[in-house]
Amino acid sequence: MNYDVIVDCYTDEPSGLGVPPFLSVHSRYIAGTLEDNKRKYYYLTIDDLRFNAGETHDVASYNKRILNVTKNKNDVRNILANAENIYIVMGCFVKYEYVSAEPPSFVEVEELMKEYNCNKLLFYSLGGNELTRENIRKTVPQGLFSDIIFGNTYNYFIGEKNNKFTPNYDRLRTIAISSSSILNQLSRPLVIEVETAIGCNRKPGCTFCIEGMRGLPLQFREIEDIVAEIKSLYDKGALYFRLGRQPNFYAYKNCNPNAIEKLFQRIWEECPNIKTLHIDNVSPHNVNTLEGVKITEIIAKYTTAGNIAPFGVESFDPKIRELCNLNGSLDDIHESINMINKYGKERGENGLPKLLPGINIIYGLDGQSNKTLDYNLTNFRKMLDSGSWVRRVFVRKLTSPYGEQFDKYTKDKLEEFEYWNCKIRKEFTIPMLKKVFPVGLVIKDLRMEMFRNGDSILRQMATCPVRVVIKNTELKLDDFYNVRIIGYIGDRTLLGEVL
Ligand code: SF4
């Protein structure tokens, strides 16, 4: 038949998220190229395939493996059986327990796809060199995919087959606009991830980073191209956006505050009723500067409350910072945290601080010793003592550039990693959570996202949203609620009551 199918198996990259409730650029830009070429396509998620295979929900819990079905869920077999090409999109950097989605393994993809004999291409969002290809070839079931494609998905369709990662922002201009057609096939609201740039503005970069491996020069999309993309999605009903696909938002147009302000102004002029406009990925060395101060003020002013600037701190151990060429000094990091607090700590209409920093830490970097955790904890304590707030801490293991599913860790390392997590959680994340979300605080516009063991789990449609559990109640999926905080369940989970 004369159509293709995109099967979204979800992506989670160092810069760019595409696990529900987020929609990645990868599937969307395939949709955009097909639409541009007047080629009919269907968009399916892995959840559609599981639903088609007979998976069901439980009485006391939703099955998150089938929660993100599309409008095509009842016609999956027919759609796949008659497709000319199937484009499978996947690549998750870490093995993470997502609230309401579950990315598949290669084995599961094989199980669900093996009966369909058409041309099946894997678009893999991580890695990007021949080593990645070799590793994936060794891991994925033989013969399942006719080819594995890396880099920008749209490059494959516009004939740039040897130019996988270099963006073609001229061609992307129309592709990005056409990509909004994908929304016609979605059945639930998503946060749309938007790309603003590619490449790192530090040379040489951090030793472990995927951007360095890809070696791309820094390139920016034009303001009007980004605005036109968001407008086309907004016109089709999208209300939640994150400018998250770039290694460092502050680097946009070479750290140009005027350009960043213009970008936000134009987005609001064209799309005045957007409900979420957030960012992701920030290098602290660009925050504690004259331009950085202005950019911080602009982000706090123009984005919606609950925004987070996650810093790739990675480690507070000076030896690691030097060995791995990490960005910014420890003073830069602390001053950047204080500065973001100065402009962003005030609460917005939805009850959340407008803009707060986040901290990313990596376990297993070169130079790590038994002093490293102490360095991290000492600096976390300094943040608590300073009165500044931090919205979320993410501790992850060092992974190979093609994703954690290709890595092996010894039992000792896994135990030590867990110990790190517990210590940081207990000594920093939970005390900080209590400061940012005190008992009695009212938070608005939380979406009912998941029902588990008789409890409802709500989150805002936002970047790194906190979870709020409403005990012994099944609220209506995808409805929005205002809640009051009445307690704490974990390092990122609050107990609430519906108002
Ligand atoms: S600053 Fe470091 S971690 Fe961030 S993109 Fe550049 S090389 Fe990668």
Side-chain angles (χ1 to χ4, degrees):
M1 288 270 268
N2 241 356
Y3 66 80
D4 298 336
V5 182
I6 303 161
V7 178
D8 199 337
C9 296
Y10 312 134
T11 56
D12 190 349
E13 306 161 87
S15 24
L17 181 56
V19 180
F22 280 77
L23 177 63
S24 75
V25 295
H26 302 294
S27 296
R28 193 159 61 77
Y29 288 164
I30 295 178
T33 51
L34 296 174
E35 184 74 22
D36 251 11
N37 293 339
K38 310 223 172 330
R39 173 94 182 149
K40 183 175 173 178
Y41 75 91
Y42 288 94
Y43 173 73
L44 299 175
T45 62
I46 189 69
D47 296 40
D48 286 312
L49 275 71
R50 293 163 174 160
F51 176 78
N52 174 68
E55 284 200 37
T56 54
H57 292 292
D58 209 48
V59 181
S61 300
Y62 296 153
N63 177 358
K64 68 177 175 178
R65 290 167 49 78
I66 54 167
L67 205 48
N68 302 290
V69 287
T70 66
K71 287 182 182 164
N72 302 317
K73 71 172 184 178
N74 291 317
D75 201 20
V76 171
R77 190 173 299 272
N78 186 31
I79 288 172
L80 287 171
N82 294 300
E84 196 165 318
N85 302 289
I86 300 178
Y87 305 124
I88 296 129
V89 179
M90 63 193 293
C92 286
F93 205 53
V94 288
K95 289 179 184 162
Y96 185 72
E97 189 65 33
Y98 299 92
V99 173
S100 61
E102 187 176 302
S105 64
F106 284 121
V107 173
E108 186 185 6
V109 173
E110 181 191 31
E111 196 47 44
L112 292 169
M113 303 284 300
K114 64 184 176 201
E115 68 179 278
Y116 306 108
N117 291 324
C118 68
N119 182 38
K120 287 177 284 202
L121 291 178
L122 170 66
F123 287 83
Y124 195 70
S125 68
L126 303 172
N129 55 14
E130 282 312 307
L131 189 61
T132 323
R133 186 182 294 277
E134 251 175 59
N135 271 290
I136 293 182
R137 281 257 177 252
K138 272 190 241 153
T139 307
V140 299
Q142 292 299 309
L144 179 60
F145 305 114
S146 43
D147 202 358
I148 301 171
I149 317 292
F150 300 104
N152 296 308
T153 49
Y154 58 88
N155 275 341
Y156 177 81
F157 296 91
I158 61 175
E160 301 270 17
K161 289 178 188 166
N162 298 317
N163 175 18
K164 304 175 185 92
F165 286 94
T166 307
N168 187 330
Y169 284 157
D170 287 340
R171 291 296 301 277
L172 186 59
R173 187 171 297 132
T174 54
I175 290 168
I177 294 170
S178 302
S179 76
S180 61
S181 61
I182 203 170
L183 296 185
N184 299 334
Q185 303 190 39
L186 299 181
S187 60
R188 301 186 61 207
L190 292 175
V191 181
I192 314 278
E193 188 84 310
V194 176
E195 176 165 330
T196 68
I198 205 153
C200 174
N201 65 333
R202 283 180 77 234
K203 294 281 179 295
C206 313
T207 52
F208 59 88
C209 178
I210 200 168
E211 293 296 333
M213 184 187 105
R214 291 174 179 170
L216 290 173
L218 185 59
Q219 291 176 71
F220 309 106
R221 292 182 70 200
E222 292 304 322
I223 291 173
E224 287 308 321
D225 293 352
I226 299 170
V227 172
E229 175 180 12
I230 293 178
K231 167 104 171 83
S232 70
L233 292 151
Y234 175 81
D235 286 344
K236 282 207 155 56
L239 292 171
Y240 312 97
F241 295 92
R242 186 171 83 161
L243 307 180
R245 191 151 202 276
Q246 67 281 315
N248 174 10
F249 185 78
Y250 275 61
Y252 185 64
K253 296 278 179 181
N254 299 315
C255 303
N256 182 334
N258 295 335
I260 292 176
E261 182 162 36
K262 181 90 198 261
L263 171 64
F264 286 130
Q265 283 172 337
R266 289 286 299 121
I267 292 171
W268 285 113
E269 274 167 23
E270 296 295 335
C271 315
N273 295 316
I274 281 180
K275 291 199 169 149
T276 297
L277 182 58
H278 284 169
I279 62 157
D280 197 32
N281 304 323
V282 171
S283 288
H285 77 288
N286 286 136
V287 179
N288 185 29
T289 63
L290 278 179
E291 292 78 26
V293 175
K294 288 186 197 147
I295 293 169
T296 304
E297 206 174 348
I298 288 163
I299 296 172
K301 177 175 173 191
Y302 288 97
T303 60
T304 53
N307 199 1
I308 300 174
F311 290 171
V313 171
E314 327 301 13
S315 178
F316 289 97
D317 183 336
K319 188 174 160 208
I320 294 181
R321 296 198 68 75
E322 199 187 326
L323 261 179
C324 298
N325 194 32
L326 299 181
N327 76 86
S329 65
L330 292 186
D331 284 347
D332 279 336
I333 293 166
H334 285 288
E335 278 166 34
S336 297
I337 288 169
N338 295 338
M339 207 250 288
I340 291 197
N341 270 264
K342 178 175 166 196
Y343 294 103
K345 197 175 183 185
E346 185 192 342
R347 291 188 193 276
E349 222 263 310
N350 62 8
L352 293 194
K354 287 182 177 169
L355 171 70
L356 290 181
I359 307 279
N360 295 336
I361 295 287
I362 299 181
Y363 169 88
L365 287 169
D366 281 351
Q368 184 174 300
S369 68
N370 49 15
K371 292 193 199 133
T372 303
L373 179 60
D374 285 340
Y375 278 118
N376 289 339
L377 291 171
T378 303
N379 280 277
F380 278 131
R381 258 175 242 128
K382 191 169 164 184
M383 287 172 223
L384 276 171
D385 294 344
S386 74
S388 282
W389 288 351
V390 171
R391 239 308 253 111
R392 76 108 174 84
V393 177
F394 183 48
V395 186
R396 71 167 173 93
K397 301 185 221 67
L398 182 69
T399 55
S400 53
Y402 20 92
E404 193 180 333
Q405 62 178 312
F406 296 95
D407 292 330
K408 291 209 168 30
Y409 304 94
T410 62
K411 190 166 164 280
D412 285 356
K413 294 283 173 215
L414 288 173
E415 278 172 9
E416 191 179 40
F417 173 67
E418 217 18 70
Y419 179 71
W420 272 42
N421 259 311
C422 287
K423 284 290 271 187
I424 294 173
R425 217 178 278 150
K426 193 162 150 241
E427 295 190 22
F428 180 73
T429 319
I430 293 176
M432 184 56 82
L433 187 80
K434 292 180 176 176
K435 285 174 186 259
V436 182
F437 298 96
V439 165
L441 177 73
V442 171
I443 315 182
K444 296 182 178 165
D445 298 327
L446 289 138
R447 182 180 66 132
M448 164 59 178
E449 184 175 334
M450 184 68 193
F451 181 57
R452 190 185 297 150
N453 300 328
D455 303 331
S456 293
I457 304 173
L458 291 78
R459 299 195 299 172
Q460 285 167 320
M461 296 285 283
T463 188
C464 311
V466 73
R467 303 162 191 186
V468 181
V469 169
I470 310 294
K471 282 277 183 197
N472 304 318
T473 311
E474 183 176 1
L475 299 172
K476 189 163 179 297
L477 184 66
D478 291 339
D479 271 8
F480 286 81
Y481 298 86
N482 298 337
V483 304
R484 179 183 290 113
I485 303 308
I486 57 172
Y488 307 93
I489 293 179
D491 62 326
R492 63 185 69 177
T493 309
L494 311 168
L495 192 60
E497 63 183 9
V498 174
L499 295 176

